[in-house]
Amino acid sequence: MQLQRALTPTRKADFLAELTQTVSGLLLVGFLWTHMIFVAAIILGVEAFNKLAHFMEQFKLLDLAVIFIILTVAAHAGAVLRRIPSRWQEQKIVWKHAKTIKHRDTWSWLFQAVTGSAMLLLIIIHVVVVVYAGIDAKLSADRVHSWMLWFYAVLLLLAEYHASVGLYRTFVKWGFVKRHSLKKVLTVVTVCTVGLGLVSLGVFYSLGGSL
Amino acid sequence: MSQRQLTFHIFRYNPETPNQKPATQTFVLQEETGMTLFIALNKIREEQDSTLKFDFVCRAGICGSCGMLINGKPTLACRTLTKDLPTDITLMPLPVFKLLGDLSVDTGTWFRDMSLRTEAWVHTEKTFDPDAQEERMSNETALHIYEAERCIECGCCIGGCATANIKPNFIGAAGVNRVARFMLDPRDERDEQEYFDVVGSEDGIFGCIGLMACDDNCPVGIPLQGQLAYVRRKMALAGWKR
Amino acid sequence: MSQYDRFTSDVLIVGAGLAGERAAIEAATQGLNVIILSLVPPRRSHSSAAQGGMQAALGNSAMGKGDSPDIHFADTVKGSDWGCDQDVARLFAEMAPVAMRQMAYWGVPWSRVVPGKRIYDGVDIHEDPEKEGLIAARNFGGTAKWRTCYTADGTGHTVLYTMDSVVIKLGITVHDRTEVLSLIHDGERCSGVVARCLRTGNLRVYTAKSTVIATGGYGRLYGASTNAIINEGSGMFVALETGVVPLGNMEAVQFHPTGIVPTWILITEGARGDGGYLLDKDHHRFMPDYEPKKKELASRDVVSRRIMQHIRKGYGVESPYGAHVWLDIRHLGEKHINTNLREIANICRNFAGVDPVHDLIPVRPTQHYSMGGIRTNIDGMAYGLTGLFSLGEAACWDMHGFNRLGGNSLAETVVAGMLIGDKIAKYTKEASLNVSSALIEEHVRFQEDRIQSLIECRNGKENVYQLRREMETILSENVGIFRSEEPLQKAVAQLHELHQRSCQVGLRSGGKGADPELASALRITGMIKLAYCIAAGALARKESRGSHFREDYPKRDDENWLKRTLAYWPVGADRPELDYEPVKITELPPGDRGYGEASTGAASANR
Ligand SMILES: Cc1cc2nc3c(=O)[nH]c(=O)nc-3n(C[C@H](O)[C@H](O)[C@H](O)COP(=O)(O)OP(=O)(O)OC[C@H]3O[C@@H](n4cnc5c(N)ncnc54)[C@H](O)[C@@H]3O)c2cc1C
Ligand code: HEM
Ligand code: HEM
Ligand code: SF4
Ligand code: F3S
Ligand code: FES
C-alpha cells in the first residue's frame, strides 16, 4: 500500500532561478567593490583618476562594464522579483509578521528588498548619467558638487547595506560560515567601504567648481 | 522573592462564533514561585475564563504541542517561566497553522501533510527478516540522524518564518530538516534525484530565503542553519546534474 | 434522529501511542481497513516522553554479554513480585529482540556499540569489536544484565516518530483531536465507539468489527504525576463503564521519588547517585535518620516512602503546590553539575526556574506508571466483551504484576502491538459487523443527553475543576506510597461522595463547540470511578506486594494474596465490585526478589 507521489515533479527552473539570483548578486557585489576602489582613485589625485578613466575608455572597458551591468542587474532583478511579495495582501502579512516577531534577520531581509527596489531606479539614473555625460575628474567633481551629492550618498548607503546583507544571506544560506562571526566581519567591511566612498565623495566635492 | 502581578493580553477568537471579531482579552494573575506559562494558563482557565483554549500535552518541552507567540517570540509555553518575562505578557497563536480557537492551532495536520509530501519514511527494497541480526550502523551515523530526528514538530520554525507565512506550500525548516534526516540515513535507498523531486523546488529548499528565524527560535536547538545548507548544497548538485 | 457523522472500518484503534500504532500497522499490513483515533496528533502521545529506553535481550553490549530471554523473563517476574502472568512475560521476553530489530529496520537510530575500552562507575568495560555497530544497551535498575536499548536521550521520541512514519507510509487513517466517550455494545459484543470531535465538539460514531483500546495510563488522577496531562485513563473508564469489562490490579501504582515541584517532571536518580542530599524545611538532611546505611541511595520505593513519612511529620516545605522537600546538589560544584548532570540542570532551569548550582531543588514523590488496566487474556482480548481488545499501558496484559521494570513498558507496547495486532487481524477477518442502528442511536442519545444536562446545569452546579482537585488530593494523601487501613477507608468514603457529586456538575462556560470545560466535565465521573477502583482495591489487599505498600501489612502474603484484583463497575452501581483470579505461574515459583529488602518493592527501576 505505498502512497503515490504527493508532490508534482519539480522543475529545474526553480533551481536555476535561485542560482541566477545568487551568482548575479555576488557578481554585483564584486563589481560594486571594484568600482568603489576605482572611484577612490580620486583620493590619490586628479591625475590618477583621469588616467584610470582614460585607460578604461581606451580599452572599451567602460562599454563592457555597462553591458555587464545591464545584464547582471537585469538577471538579478528578474530572479529576485519572484521573491518580493507582489500582492498587497502578502506585503501586509510580511510587514505585520516582522513587527510581531521582532526578529533582526527578518527585518534585514525586508530592508534588502526595499533598498534593492530603490536601487533599481537609482542605478539606471546613475549609469545613464555617467555614460552620456562622460567620466573625467572635472565632470565628476562638478556633478558631485551639486544636489547630486545627496544622490550619491544615498546610493552609496543603499548599495553597501544591500551588498552586506546580501553577502551575509548568501553565506548563511549555503552554510560555509558561523552566522554571528560572519555578521561582525561584514559589518567591519561595510563600515570601511562606506568610509572609503564618503572620502571619495568628499574629495570630489572639494574639487568641485575648482577645476 | 517579591511576587509580581502579571497582566496577560491573550488573543481570543472562537471559530464557532465567526461574526465575533478576533480580540485581545486581558487577565490579571498573581505570580507564584516557579510559575510556568503552563501553570499560569491553567489557572486562568480554571479560575477566570473556562472557555479559554490552548494546548499542552507533556508540559515538559518534549511533545511540541504548546508553541505560541510569547511577546512575539515563537516558543514553547510550557518551558517559559513567568519570571523571565516582563509583567505584561502578550500571547498569540502561531501563525501559518489553522487556528482552532484562541491559542490553539492545528499543527498536527500541517506536519502530517509535510511528512506525506516529503515521503518521510525509510525507503528500502529490503524486507525484514525476524531471524537475522540487525544491519550494522556506526554510532556516529546514528547520532547524526538523531540530531535531525530531535525535531518535536512544535512549529516554531514555521510560525516564525515570513516565507512560510505567505507561501502555503513551503515545507519550512522543519520539512527540510526532516528530509536531511533521511538523506543522512544509509537505510534509505533514495538517490539524489529522488530527493530533488521532493525538495528541489520553491516549495522546498529553494523557497528558503535565509531569514534564520527558524534557527534562532527552534526550542530544541536543532542546528537548522546547517541542515538547510546541507540540503541546499546537495540539491544544488543534484539540480546541476539534471 | 441525532446528528452525527458515522465512520466504519474493520479495525478501530483508540490511541495513537506506540501500542496503538504498532497494532494498527500489523492489522493494516494484513489488508484490513484501519482507523486510529487520538486526543492529540499521534507524535504528541505520551510515548514520546520516555527517554530511558526499552528492554530486549540482544546481548550485544559487553555488560549484557550472555543475556537471553530466560534472564529477561526472570527479571520481569521478580520485578513483578510474582504478580504477573508468566506465560505473558515469557512470550514478551522471547519476542522483544525481534521487535527491536524491526524498529531498526523501520528507521530508529538506535545507539550502537562502539568498540574499545571505557570506564563506567569504576569498572573497565571492553566492548567487543565483533559487535561493532549492533544495537547497544545501557544499564537500568532491577536487571541482571545491561539490556536497555536506547537512542541517546530520546528513545520514546525516535521510536514513536519511526512508528508513525510507517503509519503514514501505509496511509492509515488517523483522526486526531478526537475523544472517545463510550463503547457501543450490547453487553456481549463491542461494535465501536461514540466519540467527540475536539475541533468542533460534534459527536461521531465509529463502528468496527474490532475495537482496540490503547489509551495509555491514568497518571493524572494523582495530579502530581510525571505523565502527560492527557493521561487521564479515559480508555480504561469507558471500558469499565460497560459494566462487564473488569480492570485488573488497579491498586498497583508506581511512584518515582523525585518529581520536580510544581510541574512534576521527572528528575532522574543521577542527582542522588552522584551524591545529592535530601533536606527538609529546616535544611536538615533527614535520610540518614531513617536509613543510616544507604541514606539517599536506598532503593526508590524506600526513598519515596521516607520522604512522605517525613513530610507527614510536618517537616515538609509548604508551597502553593503542596508540601515538598529539597534536593541539594550545590556541594557537587558548578563544573560537575553542568557536565555530568546537565540534563537535570536544564530541567531545573527551564521548568522550575532554579539554578541547582546555587539553589535547592523542590522535589516530591510523584505518580509515574500504572500497572493496572483493562484486563485482557494473552491474546489481548478484553474480558467481558467480544470484539474488544486492549494493549499498552491501558491494559493489564499482565506482564508487570505489581511492579514494572524500567524499560519494560516501552518494550511492552511494541511487542504487544506486534503480537496482539496479529491476533486482532486474525479475529477481524473472521468477524462480521452487524450492529443495529437502534443500539447506536441509544448510545449517541445517552451522550447527547449528558452534554445537554451539563450545559443546562440540569443536575447541579458543581465545579469540575474543584472536584478534580479534591480527587487528586484524596488519592495523593491517602492512596499514595504509604497505605493503611484508616486513610484508605477515608479515601473510599470520600471518593464515594465525590462520585455522587460528579453527577451534579454544571458548566460555567456555556459548552459551545469544542469547549475545554465540557471536555473535562465529560471525563470527571469516569476518572473518579478509576480513583475509586484504585482505593477500593488497595483497601482490600491486605499485604504488601511490589509498589503496593501497606504499613499495617508490610509483608507479602502469597498464601492469601497471590492473585489479581478484578474491579467491575456494574451499570448504575454507585461503587465498584471486586473479584479475584489466580495469577499464572508456569516456570518460576514465588521466592525472594533478591533486592535485599524483602517484600518492599525495592529497586524498581522506574524510568
Ligand atoms: C516521564 C516518563 C518516562 C518514561 N520512561 C520510560 C522508559 O524510559 N522506558 C519505558 O519502558 N517506559 C517509560 N515510561 C512509560 C512509557 O512511556 C509508557 O508506559 C508508554 O509509552 C505507554 O504507551 P501507550 O502506547 O500505551 O500509551 P500512550 O503513548 O500514552 O498513548 C495513548 C494514546 O491514547 C490516546 N487517547 C487517550 N485517551 C483517548 C480517548 N479517550 N480517545 C481517543 N484517544 C485517546 C492518546 O491521544 C494517545 O495517542 C515513561 C513514562 C513517563 C511518564
Ligand atoms: C537592481 C536592483 C536590485 C534589486 C531589486 C535587488 C533585490 C534583492 C532582493 C530582494 C534580494 C533578496 C533575495 C532573496 O534573498 O531571496 C537580493 C539579494 C541579493 N542582492 Fe540584490 N537587488 C538589487 C541590486 C543589487 C546590487 C546592485 C547588488 C550588489 C551590490 C546586489 C547584491 C545582492 C546579493 C549578494 C544578494 C544575495 C543573493 C542571495 O541571497 O542569493 N543586489 N537582492
Ligand atoms: C557601468 C556602470 C557604472 C559606471 C561607469 C559608473 C561610474 C561611476 C563614476 C564615474 C562615479 C563617480 C561619480 C560621477 O562621476 O558621477 C561613480 C560613483 C558612484 N557609483 Fe557608479 N558606475 C557604474 C555603476 C554603478 C552601480 C551599478 C552602482 C551601484 C550598485 C554604482 C554606485 C556608485 C556610487 C555609490 C557612487 C558614489 C561614489 C562614492 O561614494 O565613492 N555605480 N560611478
Ligand atoms: S525544527 Fe525546531 S522549531 Fe521547527 S518544528 Fe522542529 S523542533 Fe520545532
Ligand atoms: S526562517 Fe524561513 S526563510 Fe529559511 S532560513 Fe528559516 S526557513
Ligand atoms: S506541552 Fe509538550 S512541549 Fe510544551
Side-chain angles (χ1 to χ4, degrees):
Chain A
M1 265 218 298
Q2 202 89 352
L3 268 165
Q4 67 193 61
R5 290 218 177 288
L7 263 190
T8 46
T10 41
R11 293 147 299 147
K12 197 176 175 178
D14 288 352
F15 163 65
L16 291 178
E18 180 75 8
L19 195 67
T20 311
Q21 170 191 321
T22 304
V23 171
S24 61
L26 289 179
L27 287 176
L28 283 171
V29 176
F31 174 86
L32 178 68
W33 287 354
T34 321
H35 163 289
M36 296 306 295
I37 291 170
F38 280 15
V39 172
I42 195 67
I43 304 174
L44 299 179
V46 176
E47 281 298 282
F49 185 82
N50 280 340
K51 240 191 199 149
L52 193 59
H54 292 143
F55 170 80
M56 300 274 298
E57 225 151 342
Q58 205 173 355
F59 290 94
K60 298 265 184 251
L61 286 178
L62 199 59
D63 300 346
L64 272 182
V66 173
I67 294 169
F68 168 82
I69 277 299
I70 293 172
L71 289 179
T72 335
V73 167
H76 187 70
V80 136
L81 266 175
R82 75 195 202 287
R83 285 291 154 69
I84 299 182
S86 49
R87 285 183 300 124
W88 168 239
Q89 187 61 25
E90 289 177 349
Q91 283 282 352
K92 236 173 56 180
I93 294 175
V94 169
W95 288 95
K96 197 173 140 230
H97 181 77
K99 272 187 229 149
T100 319
I101 73 162
K102 305 185 186 78
H103 179 253
R104 286 182 84 183
D105 285 6
T106 302
W107 275 120
S108 78
W109 185 87
L110 279 173
F111 290 142
Q112 198 181 3
V114 170
T115 52
S117 311
M119 270 199 304
L120 188 54
L121 188 68
L122 299 188
I123 288 176
I124 292 173
I125 297 175
H126 170 55
V127 173
V128 167
V129 167
V130 287
V131 170
Y132 279 92
I135 302 173
D136 164 280
K138 178 166 168 35
L139 280 174
S140 297
D142 285 344
R143 268 202 295 271
V144 172
H145 195 98
S146 71
W147 63 269
M148 285 283 275
L149 175 66
W150 296 110
F151 175 90
Y152 280 123
V154 169
L155 181 59
L156 175 69
L157 288 176
L158 294 190
E160 290 301 344
Y161 178 84
H162 188 96
S164 169
V165 176
L167 276 185
Y168 167 75
R169 198 136 272 140
T170 311
F171 284 126
V172 160
K173 273 159 74 176
W174 294 89
F176 301 113
V177 275
K178 281 231 161 55
R179 240 160 17 103
H180 298 283
S181 37
L182 172 66
K183 235 182 212 171
K184 276 186 210 133
V185 172
L186 281 174
T187 314
V188 172
V189 172
T190 308
V191 168
C192 290
T193 42
V194 170
L196 184 68
L198 288 178
V199 172
S200 314
L201 280 181
V203 174
F204 275 127
Y205 190 81
S206 61
L207 289 175
S210 70
L211 283 175
Chain B
M1 203 192 283
S2 73
Q3 303 298 13
R4 304 177 298 168
Q5 187 161 297
L6 303 173
T7 311
F8 287 88
H9 307 277
I10 300 180
F11 175 92
R12 299 301 306 268
Y13 179 70
N14 185 355
E16 292 295 308
T17 50
N19 37 8
Q20 221 163 316
K21 287 258 155 357
T24 302
Q25 192 177 349
T26 302
F27 299 95
V28 176
L29 197 67
Q30 200 62 35
E31 187 172 31
E32 282 162 8
T33 317
M35 191 181 241
T36 60
L37 285 186
F38 164 67
I39 295 172
L41 282 170
N42 273 295
K43 255 189 143 50
I44 292 175
R45 174 147 89 194
E46 289 178 17
E47 293 164 9
Q48 304 191 28
D49 187 338
S50 51
T51 61
L52 184 63
K53 286 188 195 130
F54 48 77
D55 293 320
F56 288 99
V57 176
C58 70
R59 58 83 183 86
I62 294 169
C63 74
S65 301
C66 63
M68 58 179 78
L69 298 181
I70 300 169
N71 286 342
K73 188 179 164 63
T75 191
L76 300 177
C78 68
R79 234 183 60 170
T80 302
L81 288 155
T82 54
K83 83 173 168 73
D84 298 333
L85 298 171
T87 47
D88 273 79
I89 301 168
T90 305
L91 301 180
M92 290 203 284
L94 280 183
V96 182
F97 303 101
K98 183 172 179 233
L99 183 63
L100 296 175
D102 305 337
L103 300 173
S104 169
V105 293
D106 196 347
T107 44
T109 303
W110 193 97
F111 275 98
R112 185 167 161 122
D113 181 57
M114 181 275 278
S115 283
L116 262 174
R117 295 201 301 143
T118 55
E119 303 190 358
W121 53 83
V122 169
H123 290 54
T124 177
E125 294 295 318
K126 299 197 183 100
T127 48
F128 175 64
D129 175 0
D131 300 320
Q133 204 172 44
E134 63 272 20
E135 253 181 67
R136 292 176 197 249
M137 178 189 278
S138 83
N139 196 48
E140 213 177 318
T141 309
L143 286 174
H144 265 319
I145 299 171
Y146 179 60
E147 184 77 354
E149 180 103 327
R150 276 161 54 229
C151 167
I152 57 175
E153 302 196 344
C154 65
C156 292
C157 59
I158 308 298
C161 173
T163 309
N165 267 274
I166 51 174
K167 289 208 300 196
N169 289 326
F170 180 47
I171 61 171
V176 174
N177 175 63
R178 177 62 44 80
V179 174
R181 179 245 174 272
F182 288 96
M183 281 181 175
L184 287 163
D185 196 328
R187 289 167 294 199
D188 196 310
E189 292 162 359
R190 277 181 280 185
D191 66 18
E192 271 178 4
Q193 295 301 330
E194 284 171 275
Y195 281 120
F196 191 85
D197 286 337
V198 173
V199 277
S201 71
E202 276 289 293
D203 291 338
I205 184 62
F206 298 132
C208 163
I209 59 176
L211 297 176
M212 291 295 135
C214 52
D215 193 68
D216 287 330
N217 288 321
C218 176
V220 292
I222 296 179
L224 291 172
Q225 185 206 336
Q227 301 286 37
L228 288 161
Y230 167 75
V231 173
R232 182 181 288 273
R233 292 196 300 262
K234 280 216 131 179
M235 288 303 98
L237 216 64
W240 190 253
K241 287 189 202 149
R242 250 194 190 205
Chain C
M1 272 297 277
S2 315
Q3 284 280 317
Y4 55 83
D5 285 329
R6 181 170 164 183
F7 302 87
T8 301
S9 59
D10 293 328
V11 179
L12 176 69
I13 304 220
V14 186
L18 280 176
E21 289 211 318
R22 183 63 189 85
I25 289 169
E26 197 61 37
T29 41
Q30 300 200 20
L32 295 165
N33 173 357
V34 181
I35 295 181
I36 305 180
L37 306 182
S38 172
L39 296 174
V40 293
R43 296 179 184 204
R44 314 237 188 271
S45 297
H46 189 58
S47 293
S48 69
Q51 299 187 318
M54 49 214 286
Q55 287 199 41
L58 290 163
N60 293 328
S61 287
M63 297 294 281
K65 206 169 176 176
D67 198 7
S68 70
D70 292 335
I71 307 177
H72 189 182
F73 164 78
D75 284 344
T76 304
V77 174
K78 282 182 202 158
S80 80
D81 223 352
W82 278 268
C84 70
D85 274 347
Q86 294 188 7
D87 52 349
V88 174
R90 170 54 77 179
L91 184 65
F92 161 76
E94 295 289 341
M95 288 312 284
V98 177
M100 297 312 123
R101 290 186 181 127
Q102 186 171 43
M103 292 315 300
Y105 163 77
W106 275 331
V108 171
W110 293 117
S111 291
R112 303 291 177 137
V113 175
V114 180
K117 206 176 103 173
R118 86 203 133 98
I119 297 174
Y120 174 88
D121 230 357
V123 188
D124 273 349
I125 301 176
H126 292 267
E127 293 294 353
D128 184 355
E130 296 252 297
K131 303 278 188 187
E132 175 169 13
L134 296 176
I135 300 172
R138 63 159 53 132
N139 192 11
F140 252 34
T143 64
K145 302 275 180 189
W146 286 23
R147 179 187 303 133
T148 309
C149 312
Y150 63 103
T151 32
D153 58 359
T155 312
H157 173 89
T158 55
V159 177
L160 184 60
Y161 271 49
T162 300
M163 196 73 90
D164 193 50
S165 78
V166 180
V167 167
I168 292 176
K169 168 181 154 189
L170 294 174
I172 297 173
T173 309
V174 179
H175 290 182
D176 66 3
R177 291 189 189 257
T178 303
E179 173 163 12
V180 169
L181 298 180
S182 68
L183 298 179
I184 298 173
H185 69 100
D186 55 9
E188 273 165 19
R189 183 193 170 100
C190 177
S191 327
V193 303
V194 178
R196 179 169 170 262
C197 170
L198 298 179
R199 289 185 175 83
T200 61
N202 296 342
L203 289 184
R204 291 185 188 158
V205 165
Y206 292 86
T207 48
K209 291 176 191 163
S210 41
T211 305
V212 184
I213 297 187
T215 51
Y218 56 61
R220 284 286 149 176
L221 295 178
Y222 277 82
S225 167
T226 60
N227 288 193
I229 59 164
I230 56 166
N231 284 19
E232 303 186 312
S234 50
M236 295 187 200
F237 66 68
V238 297
L240 182 69
E241 283 174 341
T242 59
V244 287
V245 178
L247 304 180
N249 281 347
M250 288 300 279
E251 64 270 33
V253 186
Q254 194 172 68
F255 290 84
H256 195 283
T258 51
I260 196 164
V261 181
T263 40
W264 316 114
I265 298 167
L266 191 117
I267 299 278
T268 61
E269 248 132 9
R272 281 170 295 129
D274 286 11
Y277 302 150
L278 289 168
L279 307 182
D280 63 17
K281 69 170 180 189
D282 306 320
H283 290 201
H284 168 65
R285 184 181 172 196
F286 59 90
M287 278 308 290
D289 303 348
Y290 297 99
E291 303 286 331
K293 278 214 199 93
K294 297 205 147 172
K295 309 187 180 88
E296 278 82 1
L297 292 177
S299 70
R300 285 182 185 183
D301 288 32
V302 175
V303 177
S304 294
R305 282 198 288 275
R306 293 312 188 193
I307 295 175
M308 289 319 289
Q309 192 175 357
H310 205 62
I311 288 178
R312 275 204 208 160
K313 284 187 191 162
Y315 291 107
V317 186
E318 290 306 326
S319 83
Y321 310 103
H324 62 79
V325 296
W326 299 114
L327 175 63
D328 185 5
I329 57 174
R330 295 173 301 183
H331 52 282
L332 301 179
E334 182 164 359
K335 189 160 160 250
H336 185 92
I337 293 172
N338 286 337
T339 52
N340 296 20
L341 299 175
R342 193 173 58 197
E343 209 181 309
I344 292 170
N346 283 342
I347 292 178
C348 292
R349 291 185 189 124
N350 289 337
F351 296 98
V354 299
D355 182 352
V357 176
H358 308 291
D359 306 320
L360 297 170
I361 310 167
V363 294
R364 203 177 72 185
T366 304
Q367 192 281 350
H368 186 55
Y369 184 82
S370 39
M371 274 76 73
I374 300 169
R375 178 63 184 141
T376 71
N377 67 12
I378 193 168
D379 295 336
M381 291 179 174
Y383 284 21
L385 285 179
T386 54
L388 181 65
F389 294 78
S390 180
L391 70 160
E393 195 173 337
C396 178
W397 189 24
D398 171 9
M399 54 167 273
H400 302 303
F402 274 77
N403 184 52
R404 164 197 73 116
L405 289 185
N408 253 0
S409 48
L410 275 189
E412 177 195 8
T413 60
V414 180
V415 174
M418 181 164 75
L419 297 169
I420 295 176
D422 180 55
K423 300 288 178 191
I424 294 168
K426 295 220 160 72
Y427 168 88
T428 311
K429 283 180 196 159
E430 302 297 311
S432 60
L433 177 66
N434 37 25
V435 50
S436 75
S437 45
L439 186 67
I440 295 176
E441 192 67 19
E442 180 193 325
H443 278 86
V444 175
R445 187 82 44 80
F446 181 78
Q447 295 302 332
E448 276 178 340
D449 197 54
R450 266 179 83 199
I451 292 172
Q452 221 39 49
S453 58
L454 285 168
I455 291 175
E456 292 165 15
C457 301
R458 234 183 267 158
N459 302 324
K461 253 204 122 1
E462 286 283 359
N463 178 335
V464 56
Y465 299 116
Q466 173 69 27
L467 291 184
R468 232 195 119 118
R469 267 193 295 275
E470 286 182 35
M471 170 190 71
E472 292 171 3
T473 316
I474 295 168
L475 277 189
S476 314
E477 285 181 0
N478 306 311
V479 203
I481 291 161
F482 273 122
R483 299 167 175 189
S484 57
E485 196 74 14
E486 208 186 313
L488 285 171
Q489 273 170 350
K490 198 167 116 197
V492 166
Q494 287 178 341
L495 286 168
H496 188 83
E497 191 220 314
L498 210 59
H499 175 246
Q500 312 285 325
R501 278 169 61 200
S502 75
C503 303
Q504 293 154 19
V505 168
L507 299 186
R508 293 162 301 156
S509 55
K512 234 185 257 142
D515 182 53
E517 190 190 12
L518 176 57
S520 294
L522 286 169
R523 274 176 226 139
I524 188 71
T525 308
M527 289 172 73
I528 292 173
K529 282 179 183 160
L530 293 184
Y532 203 154
C533 291
I534 296 170
L539 176 62
R541 186 172 284 272
K542 297 190 185 341
E543 66 155 351
S544 292
R545 183 182 296 272
S547 63
H548 171 70
F549 185 79
R550 287 281 302 246
E551 286 170 287
D552 38 2
Y553 303 94
K555 289 261 176 304
R556 195 174 84 199
D557 177 0
D558 288 331
E559 211 159 298
N560 298 307
W561 288 101
L562 189 55
K563 56 188 180 187
R564 180 173 303 110
T565 311
L566 297 179
Y568 290 86
W569 197 294
V571 176
D574 62 355
R575 70 194 69 204
E577 272 172 17
L578 300 183
D579 195 3
Y580 294 90
E581 67 172 6
V583 299
K584 243 178 243 127
I585 295 182
T586 53
E587 298 178 49
L588 207 62
D592 184 32
R593 296 167 86 200
Y595 293 159
E597 228 181 317
S599 345
T600 51
S604 46
N606 316 340
R607 287 184 74 164

